Amino acid sequence: MKPSVITNVVEHDLCIGCGLCAALCPAGTLAMQWNRYGEYSPIEVSPCTTECGLCLKTCPFADHEENEDTIGRELYGGVPGIQHRSETGYYLATYVGYSERHRPTSASGGMATWLLETLLTQGVVEHVVCVAPTGGPDKLFAFCVFDTAEDVRTGAGSAYYPVEMSGVIRHILDVPGRYAITGLPCFLKAIRLAQQRNKKLRERIVVTVGLTCGQLKSRHFTDYIAALAGVQGEVTAVRYRGKSPDQPASNFYFSFTSTDGEERRIFWNEGIAEAWTNRWFTPNACNYCDDVFAECADVTCMDAWLPEFSKDSRGTSLVLVRSPLIQEVIKRGEGICLDPIAVEEVVQSQAGVVAIKRRHLAYQLDLDRMKEKKVPEKRVKPERAKNPFLRQEVVVKERMRVASRDLWINGEQDRAHLRDVMQPDLRWLATGRQISKIIAFPVGILRYIQRKVQSN
Ligand SMILES: Cc1cc2nc3c(=O)[nH]c(=O)nc-3n(C[C@H](O)[C@H](O)[C@H](O)COP(=O)(O)OP(=O)(O)OC[C@H]3O[C@@H](n4cnc5c(N)ncnc54)[C@H](O)[C@@H]3O)c2cc1C
């Protein structure tokens, strides 16, 4: 069989569902569909008649020569004043702050929406491609093309829900103009790979706004949390980043609107955190991501998960700039409160995600190598973790991830049963964490004494 994204990626459960392959297939062979895990993936709607291999060449999880380092170097390596760190990729400047106007409806400090709106009103772009609610239960969010600031604001907030780009990429190919697009790291990598091969996309997508990403979630994640919140009917709308004045930014809430007419809320610490941090309903492809800061984006926005900002319920953004164009827009910025911040603090704000996409990934790749499993070539190299707790954590979280995906589709859409099945692993993790803390304390003291002795 001819190698394609179906044989090399989808059949190995490595598809993230970005939709670039379906948009670019010259024979129109591929279409994006929900799979049984509540994720998007392409299906073949007609036999593949070309030898082009474009689907593989633009897939962020297929093997090719380009990676985030080579793409980043090509785009930003020659920018005057640019710097590089292994965790962030290239960066020109880093900021912390917010847009007072956008903050209330945005995920964190509203910097992403402010930027998209400003690019539009200043005429840098004519169209903004971002994610917005659809109002329909079968697809709660979708990528949309907007031409007014008012419409762009309807997309404010984070969509922890699958979205795919095949429709908007076809639109960009059909309708000339200058576009800005938002995306998660792997989605923007796909766009960059496509731009290398498609002149129209290269000329028309003039700004990419990345979001730092820990993991994607399937639509079953939303179904599970809705059930946890007590939603009875079908969910018709979700807001994932509700802000409560009496809570820190980190304890945000999801609010659900459903056909039963009731609006229900659930806070991060009431069950969302458990499902999120233990990687329930996470696609397998996310296990093979080594890009935290959307290294192929002109600018990346994220939450300021730092003690001095995360207490403020209104939310604060960190912004990492790579393109001089964005740097100019920000310098001229009106209506924003933005201060420079050290890149070390930006990295620190995402320490947990960096650990997963470096140390956990290295150990996952080591396990896969032993099982001779097909996985994509990564910048992180396979390595057996020295820390036994980390080794167990990777194994246990993967077991829970697989179990959550399987349980939900096997007719057991029962939140209580799912939590029961997870209990032994959750207990194991909690005990392991306690033991690590107990061991870490004397080890820390010993290291401190050692350093003191050496310095004297
Ligand atoms: C799946 C996912 C995982 C994330 N993980 C992390 C993390 O680990 N750490 C962290 O600091 N931040 C993470 N973020 C980013 C964070 O949630 C905020 O989006 C970010 O802080 C920007 O906030 P803001 O107030 O500046 O953006 P807003 O003003 O709220 O604007 C966000 C923009 O992004 C667009 N958007 C929303 N969801 C998506 C999506 N799924 N795909 C493409 N575009 C989208 C919206 O349409 C809007 O234009 C994640 C986001 C997502 C969607």
Side-chain angles (χ1 to χ4, degrees):
M1 195 185 277
K2 215 170 7 177
S4 72
V5 83
I6 303 289
T7 60
N8 289 23
V9 180
V10 177
E11 285 176 7
H12 295 274
D13 196 12
L14 289 169
C15 176
I16 198 61
C18 69
L20 244 295
C21 55
L24 291 189
C25 174
T29 298
L30 301 168
M32 296 305 288
Q33 268 202 358
W34 289 116
N35 69 18
R36 61 200 191 115
Y37 297 119
E39 301 156 3
Y40 278 119
S41 67
I43 56 156
E44 250 179 23
V45 288
S46 57
C48 175
T49 50
T50 75
E51 295 287 338
C52 68
L54 204 53
C55 57
L56 278 174
K57 289 176 191 156
T58 54
C59 173
F61 287 95
D63 281 330
H64 24 66
E65 282 167 11
E66 291 95 344
N67 59 31
E68 291 80 350
D69 282 341
T70 62
I71 298 169
R73 194 178 311 127
E74 177 79 24
L75 291 167
Y76 313 111
V79 171
I82 200 93
Q83 299 181 70
H84 185 274
R85 274 181 77 109
S86 64
E87 301 94 335
T88 58
Y90 288 93
Y91 66 96
L92 200 51
T94 41
Y95 298 99
V96 60
Y98 53 85
S99 157
E100 197 64 65
R101 178 172 186 198
H102 298 92
R103 221 175 181 190
T105 48
S106 284
S108 49
M111 283 307 300
T113 305
W114 174 84
L115 196 53
L116 294 168
E117 221 184 290
T118 305
L119 290 168
L120 203 57
T121 52
Q122 291 187 354
V124 178
V125 300
E126 294 153 315
H127 317 280
V128 163
V129 180
C130 64
V131 169
T134 62
D138 188 48
K139 183 163 74 167
L140 293 172
F141 291 86
F143 270 99
C144 305
V145 182
F146 293 135
D147 297 346
T148 68
E150 199 181 6
D151 284 345
V152 169
R153 283 198 291 277
T154 65
S158 288
Y160 301 135
Y161 189 87
V163 282
E164 57 89 11
M165 299 187 288
S166 63
V168 291
I169 295 294
R170 283 193 199 107
H171 177 99
I172 296 171
L173 291 170
D174 285 346
V175 182
R178 294 186 309 278
Y179 293 79
I181 187 164
T182 60
L184 299 173
C186 51
F187 281 51
L188 294 185
K189 180 182 177 188
I191 286 186
R192 294 309 194 187
L193 291 168
Q195 284 184 311
Q196 289 176 352
R197 289 156 182 93
N198 187 297
K199 191 163 174 266
K200 281 185 186 167
L201 292 182
R202 205 157 51 238
E203 287 172 354
R204 293 177 188 177
I205 300 178
V206 294
V207 176
T208 50
V209 178
L211 303 177
T212 287
C213 180
Q215 58 190 301
L216 235 77
K217 291 293 184 190
S218 74
R219 62 188 284 186
H220 295 168
F221 168 72
T222 295
D223 296 341
Y224 169 75
I225 302 293
L228 210 58
V231 174
Q232 302 289 334
E234 196 170 23
V235 175
T236 50
V238 194
R239 184 176 174 205
Y240 290 101
R241 295 289 297 257
K243 299 172 182 184
S244 186
D246 57 346
Q247 295 294 322
S250 49
N251 197 24
F252 52 84
Y253 63 83
F254 288 10
S255 72
F256 296 93
T257 313
S258 72
T259 47
D260 70 7
E262 293 267 332
E263 196 201 302
R264 287 182 204 271
R265 280 182 184 189
I266 181 166
F267 280 85
W268 174 254
N269 64 8
E270 291 175 329
I272 305 171
E274 181 178 77
W276 187 276
T277 55
N278 290 308
R279 299 178 80 77
W280 300 356
F281 307 106
T282 299
N284 185 49
C286 294
N287 278 350
Y288 300 100
C289 174
D290 58 12
D291 183 357
V292 179
F293 292 95
E295 296 177 39
C296 303
D298 293 327
V299 54
T300 302
C301 298
M302 70 205 88
D303 294 286
W305 295 139
L306 293 165
E308 59 272 44
F309 303 110
S310 56
K311 284 192 193 77
D312 186 342
S313 61
R314 294 169 298 174
T316 310
S317 300
L318 294 175
V319 182
L320 185 149
V321 181
R322 299 189 180 87
S323 121
L325 172 79
I326 300 296
Q327 177 73 335
E328 277 309 306
V329 171
I330 283 182
K331 275 189 179 159
R332 285 199 302 269
E334 279 172 22
I336 50 171
C337 175
L338 214 56
D339 293 313
I341 187 171
V343 70
E344 290 78 12
E345 289 207 62
V346 175
V347 173
Q348 183 55 37
S349 78
Q350 306 297 325
V353 182
V354 173
I356 288 169
K357 295 194 179 193
R358 297 292 185 272
R359 288 187 286 133
H360 289 214
L361 172 58
Y363 183 54
Q364 182 64 52
L365 291 171
D366 185 57
L367 292 173
D368 294 335
R369 184 171 57 178
M370 283 190 291
K371 290 182 201 150
E372 296 184 13
K373 206 168 142 188
K374 179 185 166 6
V375 293
E377 186 70 32
K378 300 312 301 177
R379 295 173 295 171
V380 170
K381 296 299 160 218
E383 189 183 337
R384 184 177 153 80
K386 290 191 186 80
N387 179 340
F389 176 67
L390 188 151
R391 288 204 297 272
Q392 269 309 308
E393 192 184 355
V394 169
V395 171
V396 166
K397 286 193 174 172
E398 176 58 4
R399 192 160 58 217
M400 287 197 280
R401 190 191 69 77
V402 171
S404 66
R405 262 172 126 208
D406 289 343
L407 278 172
W408 209 256
I409 56 167
N410 289 337
E412 302 199 38
Q413 294 168 6
D414 175 344
R415 61 175 175 80
H417 177 66
L418 189 131
R419 284 205 74 232
D420 284 349
V421 172
M422 302 299 188
Q423 279 314 308
D425 282 339
L426 290 174
R427 272 198 296 273
W428 195 98
L429 280 178
T431 314
R433 248 176 237 127
Q434 289 299 335
I435 296 171
S436 303
K437 269 191 203 156
I438 294 165
I439 296 172
F441 186 64
V443 170
I445 291 179
L446 275 176
R447 288 210 181 117
Y448 176 77
I449 295 169
Q450 234 173 5
R451 276 200 305 274
K452 281 277 169 205
V453 171
Q454 278 165 0
S455 64
N456 285 335

